[in-house]
Coordinates of all heavy atoms in Angstrom, one line a residue:
T40 N -1.0 -3.9 -9.6 CA 0.4 -3.3 -9.8 C 0.4 -1.9 -9.1 O -0.5 -1.1 -9.5 CB 0.6 -3.1 -11.3 OG1 0.5 -4.5 -11.9 CG2 2.1 -2.6 -11.5
Y41 N 1.4 -1.7 -8.4 CA 1.7 -0.3 -7.8 C 2.3 0.5 -8.9 O 3.1 0.2 -9.6 CB 2.6 -0.4 -6.6 CG 3.2 0.9 -6.1 CD1 2.3 1.9 -5.6 CD2 4.5 1.2 -6.4 CE1 2.8 3.1 -5.1 CE2 4.9 2.4 -5.9 CZ 4.1 3.4 -5.4 OH 4.6 4.6 -4.8
I42 N 1.6 1.7 -9.1 CA 2.1 2.6 -10.3 C 2.9 3.7 -9.7 O 4.0 4.0 -10.3 CB 0.8 3.3 -10.9 CG1 -0.1 2.2 -11.5 CG2 1.2 4.3 -12.0 CD1 0.5 1.4 -12.6
G43 N 2.7 4.2 -8.5 CA 3.5 5.4 -8.0 C 2.6 6.2 -7.1 O 1.4 5.8 -6.8
Y44 N 3.0 7.4 -6.7 CA 2.3 8.3 -5.9 C 2.4 9.6 -6.6 O 3.4 10.0 -7.1 CB 2.6 8.3 -4.4 CG 4.0 8.7 -4.2 CD1 4.2 10.0 -3.9 CD2 5.1 7.8 -4.2 CE1 5.5 10.4 -3.5 CE2 6.3 8.3 -3.9 CZ 6.5 9.6 -3.5 OH 7.8 10.1 -3.3
E45 N 1.6 10.6 -6.2 CA 1.6 11.9 -6.5 C 1.1 12.8 -5.4 O 0.3 12.6 -4.6 CB 0.6 12.1 -7.7 CG 0.6 13.5 -8.4 CD -0.5 13.6 -9.4 OE1 -1.0 12.6 -9.9 OE2 -0.5 14.8 -9.9
S46 N 1.9 13.8 -5.3 CA 1.6 14.9 -4.3 C 0.7 15.9 -5.0 O 1.0 16.4 -6.1 CB 2.8 15.6 -3.8 OG 2.6 16.7 -2.9
V47 N -0.5 16.3 -4.4 CA -1.5 17.1 -4.9 C -1.6 18.4 -3.9 O -1.8 18.0 -2.8 CB -2.8 16.6 -5.2 CG1 -3.8 17.5 -5.7 CG2 -2.5 15.3 -6.3
E48 N -1.7 19.5 -4.4 CA -2.1 20.7 -3.6 C -3.4 21.1 -4.0 O -3.7 21.4 -5.0 CB -1.1 21.8 -3.9 CG -1.3 22.9 -2.7 CD -0.1 23.9 -2.7 OE1 1.0 23.5 -3.1 OE2 -0.3 25.0 -2.2
R49 N -4.3 21.2 -3.0 CA -5.7 21.4 -3.2 C -5.9 23.0 -3.3 O -5.5 23.8 -2.4 CB -6.5 21.0 -1.9 CG -6.4 19.4 -1.8 CD -7.0 19.0 -0.4 NE -8.3 19.4 -0.1 CZ -8.9 19.1 0.9 NH1 -8.4 18.3 1.8 NH2 -10.2 19.6 1.1
Q50 N -6.4 23.3 -4.5 CA -6.6 24.8 -4.8 C -7.8 25.2 -4.4 O -8.0 26.5 -4.2 CB -6.7 24.8 -6.3 CG -5.3 24.5 -7.1 CD -4.0 25.2 -6.5 OE1 -4.1 26.5 -6.3 NE2 -3.1 24.4 -6.3
D51 N -8.8 24.3 -3.9 CA -10.0 25.0 -3.3 C -9.9 25.3 -1.9 O -10.9 25.9 -1.3 CB -11.1 23.7 -3.4 CG -10.8 22.5 -2.6 OD1 -9.6 22.1 -2.6 OD2 -11.7 21.9 -2.2
I52 N -8.9 25.2 -1.3 CA -8.6 25.7 0.1 C -7.8 26.9 0.1 O -6.7 26.9 -0.5 CB -7.9 24.6 1.0 CG1 -8.9 23.3 1.1 CG2 -7.7 25.1 2.3 CD1 -8.2 22.2 1.8
P53 N -8.1 28.0 0.7 CA -7.3 29.1 0.7 C -6.0 29.0 1.3 O -5.8 28.2 2.2 CB -8.2 30.3 1.4 CG -9.5 29.7 1.4 CD -9.4 28.2 1.3
V54 N -5.0 29.6 0.9 CA -3.6 29.7 1.4 C -3.6 30.0 2.9 O -2.9 29.5 3.6 CB -2.6 30.4 0.6 CG1 -1.2 30.5 1.1 CG2 -2.6 29.9 -0.8
S55 N -4.5 30.9 3.1 CA -4.5 31.5 4.6 C -5.3 30.5 5.5 O -5.3 30.8 6.7 CB -5.3 32.7 4.6 OG -6.6 32.8 4.0
A56 N -5.9 29.5 5.1 CA -6.6 28.5 5.9 C -5.8 27.9 7.0 O -4.5 27.7 6.7 CB -7.4 27.5 5.0
S57 N -6.2 27.5 8.0 CA -5.5 26.9 9.0 C -5.2 25.4 8.8 O -4.4 24.8 9.5 CB -6.1 27.0 10.4 OG -7.3 26.4 10.4
I58 N -5.8 24.8 7.7 CA -5.6 23.3 7.5 C -4.7 23.4 6.4 O -4.5 24.3 5.5 CB -6.9 22.7 7.2 CG1 -7.6 23.2 6.0 CG2 -7.9 22.7 8.4 CD1 -8.8 22.5 5.5
D59 N -3.9 22.2 6.3 CA -2.9 21.9 5.2 C -3.7 21.7 3.8 O -4.8 21.3 3.8 CB -2.2 20.7 5.5 CG -1.2 20.9 6.7 OD1 -0.8 22.1 6.8 OD2 -1.0 19.9 7.5
R60 N -3.1 21.9 2.8 CA -3.6 21.9 1.4 C -3.1 20.8 0.6 O -3.5 20.5 -0.5 CB -3.3 23.3 0.7 CG -3.8 24.3 1.3 CD -3.4 25.6 0.6 NE -2.8 25.6 -0.7 CZ -3.5 26.2 -1.7 NH1 -4.5 27.1 -1.4 NH2 -3.0 26.2 -2.9
K61 N -2.2 20.0 1.3 CA -1.5 18.9 0.3 C -2.0 17.6 0.7 O -2.4 17.2 1.9 CB 0.1 18.8 0.7 CG 0.8 20.1 0.1 CD 2.2 19.9 0.3 CE 3.0 19.1 1.2 NZ 4.3 19.2 1.3
Y62 N -2.1 16.7 -0.3 CA -2.4 15.4 0.0 C -1.7 14.5 -1.1 O -1.2 14.9 -2.0 CB -4.0 15.1 0.0 CG -4.7 15.2 -1.2 CD1 -4.9 14.0 -2.1 CD2 -5.1 16.4 -1.7 CE1 -5.8 14.2 -3.3 CE2 -5.9 16.5 -3.1 CZ -6.2 15.3 -3.7 OH -6.8 15.5 -4.9
L63 N -1.7 13.1 -0.7 CA -0.9 12.3 -1.5 C -2.0 11.3 -2.1 O -2.8 10.7 -1.4 CB 0.1 11.5 -0.5 CG 1.2 10.7 -1.1 CD1 2.2 11.8 -1.7 CD2 1.9 10.0 0.0
I64 N -1.7 10.9 -3.3 CA -2.6 9.9 -4.0 C -1.6 8.7 -4.3 O -0.6 9.0 -4.9 CB -3.1 10.4 -5.3 CG1 -4.1 11.5 -5.1 CG2 -3.9 9.3 -6.1 CD1 -4.6 12.2 -6.4
V65 N -1.9 7.5 -3.8 CA -1.1 6.3 -4.1 C -1.9 5.5 -5.0 O -3.1 5.2 -4.9 CB -0.9 5.6 -2.8 CG1 0.0 4.3 -3.0 CG2 -0.2 6.5 -1.7
D66 N -1.2 5.3 -6.3 CA -1.9 4.8 -7.3 C -1.6 3.3 -7.7 O -0.4 3.0 -7.7 CB -1.5 5.7 -8.6 CG -2.5 5.6 -9.7 OD1 -3.5 5.1 -9.5 OD2 -2.2 6.3 -10.8
F67 N -2.7 2.6 -7.9 CA -2.5 1.1 -8.3 C -3.4 0.9 -9.5 O -4.3 1.7 -9.9 CB -3.1 0.2 -7.2 CG -2.4 0.3 -5.9 CD1 -2.6 1.2 -4.9 CD2 -1.3 -0.6 -5.6 CE1 -2.0 1.2 -3.7 CE2 -0.6 -0.5 -4.4 CZ -1.0 0.3 -3.4
R68 N -3.2 -0.2 -10.2 CA -4.0 -0.7 -11.3 C -4.2 -2.2 -11.2 O -3.3 -3.0 -10.7 CB -3.3 -0.3 -12.6 CG -3.3 1.1 -13.0 CD -4.5 1.7 -13.2 NE -4.5 3.2 -13.6 CZ -4.5 4.2 -12.7 NH1 -4.6 3.8 -11.4 NH2 -4.5 5.5 -13.0
F69 N -5.4 -2.5 -11.6 CA -5.8 -4.0 -11.6 C -5.2 -4.6 -12.9 O -5.4 -3.8 -14.0 CB -7.3 -4.2 -11.5 CG -7.7 -3.8 -10.2 CD1 -8.6 -2.6 -10.0 CD2 -7.6 -4.5 -9.1 CE1 -9.1 -2.3 -8.8 CE2 -8.2 -4.3 -7.8 CZ -8.9 -3.1 -7.7
A70 N -4.7 -5.8 -12.9 CA -4.2 -6.5 -14.1 C -5.4 -6.8 -15.0 O -5.3 -6.7 -16.2 CB -3.5 -7.8 -13.6
A71 N -6.6 -7.3 -14.4 CA -7.6 -7.7 -15.3 C -9.0 -7.1 -14.7 O -9.4 -7.7 -13.7 CB -7.7 -9.2 -15.3
G72 N -9.5 -6.0 -15.3 CA -10.7 -5.5 -14.9 C -10.9 -5.2 -13.5 O -10.2 -5.7 -12.6
E73 N -11.9 -4.5 -13.2 CA -12.1 -4.1 -11.8 C -12.8 -5.2 -11.0 O -13.8 -5.8 -11.5 CB -13.0 -2.8 -11.8 CG -12.9 -2.1 -10.4 CD -13.6 -0.8 -10.5 OE1 -13.2 0.1 -11.4 OE2 -14.5 -0.5 -9.7
P74 N -12.5 -5.5 -9.8 CA -13.1 -6.5 -9.0 C -14.4 -6.1 -8.5 O -14.8 -4.9 -8.5 CB -12.2 -6.8 -7.9 CG -11.6 -5.3 -7.5 CD -11.4 -4.7 -9.0
P75 N -15.3 -7.0 -8.0 CA -16.5 -6.6 -7.2 C -16.3 -5.6 -6.2 O -15.2 -5.6 -5.5 CB -17.0 -8.0 -6.7 CG -16.2 -9.2 -7.4 CD -14.9 -8.4 -7.8
T76 N -17.2 -5.0 -5.8 CA -17.2 -4.0 -4.8 C -16.7 -4.3 -3.4 O -15.8 -3.7 -2.9 CB -18.5 -3.2 -4.6 OG1 -19.1 -2.9 -5.8 CG2 -18.5 -2.1 -3.5
E77 N -17.0 -5.6 -3.0 CA -16.5 -6.0 -1.7 C -15.0 -6.2 -1.8 O -14.2 -6.0 -0.8 CB -17.2 -7.4 -1.4 CG -18.7 -7.5 -1.4 CD -19.3 -7.7 -2.8 OE1 -18.7 -8.5 -3.6 OE2 -20.2 -6.9 -3.2
Q78 N -14.6 -6.8 -2.9 CA -13.1 -7.1 -3.1 C -12.5 -5.7 -3.2 O -11.2 -5.5 -2.6 CB -12.8 -7.9 -4.3 CG -11.4 -8.3 -4.3 CD -11.1 -9.3 -5.5 OE1 -12.0 -9.6 -6.3 NE2 -9.8 -9.7 -5.6
L79 N -12.9 -4.6 -3.9 CA -12.3 -3.4 -4.0 C -12.2 -2.7 -2.7 O -11.1 -2.2 -2.3 CB -13.2 -2.5 -4.9 CG -12.7 -1.1 -5.1 CD1 -11.3 -1.0 -5.7 CD2 -13.7 -0.2 -5.8
Q80 N -13.2 -2.7 -1.7 CA -13.1 -2.3 -0.4 C -12.0 -3.0 0.3 O -11.3 -2.4 1.2 CB -14.5 -2.4 0.3 CG -15.5 -1.5 -0.3 CD -16.9 -1.6 0.3 OE1 -17.2 -2.7 0.9 NE2 -17.8 -0.8 -0.1
A81 N -11.9 -4.2 0.3 CA -10.8 -5.1 0.9 C -9.5 -4.5 0.5 O -8.5 -4.5 1.4 CB -11.1 -6.7 0.6
N82 N -9.3 -4.3 -0.8 CA -8.1 -3.9 -1.3 C -7.7 -2.5 -0.8 O -6.7 -2.2 -0.5 CB -8.0 -4.0 -2.9 CG -8.1 -5.3 -3.4 OD1 -7.6 -6.1 -2.9 ND2 -8.7 -5.4 -4.6
V83 N -8.6 -1.5 -0.8 CA -8.5 -0.2 -0.2 C -8.0 -0.3 1.2 O -7.1 0.2 1.6 CB -9.7 0.6 -0.4 CG1 -9.6 1.9 0.4 CG2 -10.1 0.9 -1.9
H84 N -8.7 -1.2 2.0 CA -8.4 -1.3 3.3 C -7.0 -1.8 3.5 O -6.2 -1.3 4.4 CB -9.4 -2.3 4.1 CG -9.1 -2.6 5.5 ND1 -9.4 -1.6 6.5 CD2 -8.5 -3.7 6.2 CE1 -9.0 -2.2 7.6 NE2 -8.5 -3.3 7.4
K85 N -6.6 -2.9 2.7 CA -5.3 -3.5 2.8 C -4.3 -2.4 2.5 O -3.2 -2.3 3.3 CB -5.1 -4.5 1.9 CG -3.8 -5.4 2.0 CD -3.8 -6.5 1.2 CE -2.5 -7.3 1.4 NZ -2.5 -8.5 0.5
A86 N -4.4 -1.6 1.5 CA -3.4 -0.5 1.2 C -3.3 0.5 2.2 O -2.2 0.9 2.6 CB -3.7 0.1 -0.2
C87 N -4.4 1.0 2.7 CA -4.5 2.0 3.7 C -3.9 1.5 5.0 O -3.0 2.2 5.6 CB -6.0 2.4 3.9 SG -6.6 3.5 2.7
M88 N -4.2 0.3 5.4 CA -3.6 -0.2 6.7 C -2.1 -0.4 6.5 O -1.3 -0.1 7.5 CB -4.3 -1.6 7.1 CG -5.7 -1.4 7.6 SD -5.9 -0.1 8.9 CE -5.0 -0.7 10.2
T89 N -1.6 -0.8 5.4 CA -0.2 -0.9 5.2 C 0.5 0.5 5.4 O 1.6 0.6 6.0 CB 0.1 -1.4 3.8 OG1 -0.4 -2.7 3.6 CG2 1.7 -1.4 3.5
L90 N 0.0 1.5 4.8 CA 0.4 3.0 5.1 C 0.4 3.3 6.5 O 1.3 3.8 7.1 CB -0.3 3.9 4.3 CG 0.1 4.0 2.9 CD1 -1.0 4.8 2.1 CD2 1.4 4.7 2.6
L91 N -0.8 3.1 7.1 CA -1.0 3.6 8.6 C -0.2 2.8 9.6 O 0.2 3.4 10.6 CB -2.5 3.4 8.9 CG -3.5 4.3 8.1 CD1 -4.9 4.0 8.4 CD2 -3.2 5.7 8.5
K92 N 0.3 1.6 9.3 CA 1.2 0.9 10.2 C 2.5 1.3 10.2 O 3.3 1.2 11.1 CB 1.0 -0.6 9.8 CG -0.2 -1.1 10.3 CD -0.2 -2.7 9.9 CE -1.6 -3.2 10.4 NZ -1.7 -4.7 9.9
D93 N 3.0 2.1 9.2 CA 4.3 2.7 9.0 C 4.3 4.0 9.8 O 4.1 5.0 9.1 CB 4.7 2.7 7.6 CG 6.2 3.1 7.5 OD1 6.8 3.7 8.4 OD2 6.8 2.6 6.5
R94 N 4.5 4.0 11.1 CA 4.3 5.1 11.9 C 5.3 6.2 11.5 O 5.1 7.4 11.4 CB 4.4 4.9 13.3 CG 3.2 4.1 13.8 CD 3.3 3.9 15.3 NE 2.3 3.1 15.8 CZ 1.0 3.4 16.2 NH1 0.7 4.7 16.0 NH2 0.1 2.5 16.7
E95 N 6.5 5.9 11.2 CA 7.6 6.8 10.7 C 7.1 7.5 9.5 O 7.3 8.8 9.3 CB 8.9 6.1 10.6 CG 10.0 7.0 10.3 CD 11.4 6.3 10.1 OE1 11.6 5.2 10.5 OE2 12.2 6.9 9.4
L96 N 6.6 6.8 8.5 CA 6.3 7.4 7.3 C 5.0 8.4 7.5 O 5.1 9.5 7.0 CB 5.9 6.3 6.4 CG 5.3 6.8 5.0 CD1 6.4 7.5 4.2 CD2 4.8 5.5 4.1
I97 N 4.1 8.0 8.3 CA 3.0 8.7 8.6 C 3.4 10.1 9.2 O 3.0 11.1 8.9 CB 2.0 8.1 9.4 CG1 1.3 6.9 8.7 CG2 0.9 9.0 9.9 CD1 0.7 7.4 7.2
R98 N 4.4 9.9 10.2 CA 4.9 11.1 10.9 C 5.6 12.1 9.9 O 5.4 13.2 9.9 CB 5.9 10.7 12.0 CG 6.3 11.8 12.9 CD 7.3 11.4 14.0 NE 6.9 10.3 14.8 CZ 7.6 9.2 14.7 NH1 8.7 8.9 13.9 NH2 7.0 8.1 15.3
H99 N 6.4 11.5 9.0 CA 7.2 12.3 8.0 C 6.1 13.0 7.2 O 6.3 14.3 6.9 CB 8.2 11.5 7.2 CG 8.7 12.2 6.1 ND1 9.7 13.2 6.3 CD2 8.5 12.3 4.8 CE1 10.0 13.7 5.3 NE2 9.3 13.1 4.2
L100 N 5.1 12.3 6.7 CA 4.1 13.0 5.8 C 3.4 14.0 6.4 O 3.1 15.2 6.0 CB 3.1 12.0 5.2 CG 3.6 10.8 4.3 CD1 2.5 9.9 4.0 CD2 4.0 11.5 3.1
S101 N 3.0 13.9 7.8 CA 2.3 14.9 8.5 C 3.3 16.0 8.7 O 2.9 17.2 8.5 CB 2.1 14.3 9.9 OG 1.3 15.3 10.8
E102 N 4.5 15.9 9.1 CA 5.5 17.0 9.2 C 5.7 17.7 8.0 O 6.1 18.8 7.9 CB 6.7 16.5 9.9 CG 6.6 16.0 11.3 CD 8.0 15.2 11.7 OE1 8.8 15.0 10.9 OE2 7.9 15.0 12.9
S103 N 5.5 17.1 6.8 CA 5.7 17.7 5.4 C 4.5 18.3 5.0 O 4.4 18.9 3.8 CB 6.1 16.6 4.5 OG 7.3 16.1 4.8
G104 N 3.5 18.3 5.9 CA 2.2 19.1 5.4 C 1.2 18.4 4.8 O 0.2 19.0 4.3
Y105 N 1.3 17.0 4.7 CA 0.1 16.3 4.2 C -1.0 16.1 5.2 O -0.7 15.7 6.4 CB 0.5 15.0 3.7 CG 1.6 15.0 2.5 CD1 2.9 15.2 2.6 CD2 0.9 15.1 1.2 CE1 3.8 15.3 1.5 CE2 1.9 15.3 0.1 CZ 3.2 15.4 0.3 OH 3.9 15.6 -0.9
D106 N -2.2 16.3 4.8 CA -3.4 16.1 5.7 C -4.2 15.0 5.3 O -5.2 14.6 6.0 CB -4.1 17.4 5.9 CG -4.8 17.8 4.7 OD1 -4.5 17.4 3.6 OD2 -5.8 18.7 4.8
M107 N -3.9 14.3 4.1 CA -4.7 13.2 3.7 C -3.9 12.4 2.6 O -3.1 12.9 2.0 CB -5.8 13.8 2.9 CG -6.9 12.8 2.5 SD -8.5 13.4 1.9 CE -8.0 14.4 0.4
V108 N -4.2 11.0 2.7 CA -3.6 10.1 1.8 C -4.9 9.4 1.2 O -5.7 8.9 1.9 CB -2.7 9.1 2.6 CG1 -2.2 8.0 1.4 CG2 -1.5 9.8 3.1
S109 N -4.8 9.3 -0.1 CA -5.8 8.7 -0.8 C -5.2 7.4 -1.7 O -4.0 7.5 -2.1 CB -6.6 9.5 -1.9 OG -7.2 10.5 -1.1
I110 N -6.1 6.4 -2.0 CA -5.7 5.3 -2.7 C -6.6 5.4 -4.0 O -7.7 5.6 -4.0 CB -6.1 3.9 -1.9 CG1 -5.2 3.9 -0.7 CG2 -5.7 2.8 -2.9 CD1 -3.7 3.8 -0.8

Side-chain angles (χ1 to χ4, degrees):
T40 303
Y41 168 69
I42 302 297
Y44 67 92
E45 180 181 357
S46 177
V47 176
E48 188 165 337
R49 296 168 53 182
Q50 299 300 317
D51 59 325
I52 298 175
V54 175
S55 60
S57 62
I58 60 172
D59 293 324
R60 297 168 29 117
K61 290 189 336 185
Y62 69 99
L63 198 68
I64 300 173
V65 181
D66 204 9
F67 296 90
R68 291 294 179 270
F69 293 105
E73 195 170 307
T76 303
E77 309 81 43
Q78 189 177 359
L79 179 61
Q80 290 174 348
N82 291 331
V83 168
H84 179 75
K85 185 174 183 178
C87 287
M88 291 309 295
T89 301
L90 279 168
L91 292 172
K92 287 179 182 177
D93 190 329
R94 293 185 188 273
E95 182 182 338
L96 177 61
I97 294 300
R98 185 178 316 111
H99 174 73
L100 290 173
S101 180
E102 289 169 354
S103 298
Y105 290 94
D106 65 344
M107 185 170 60
V108 176
S109 296
I110 302 295

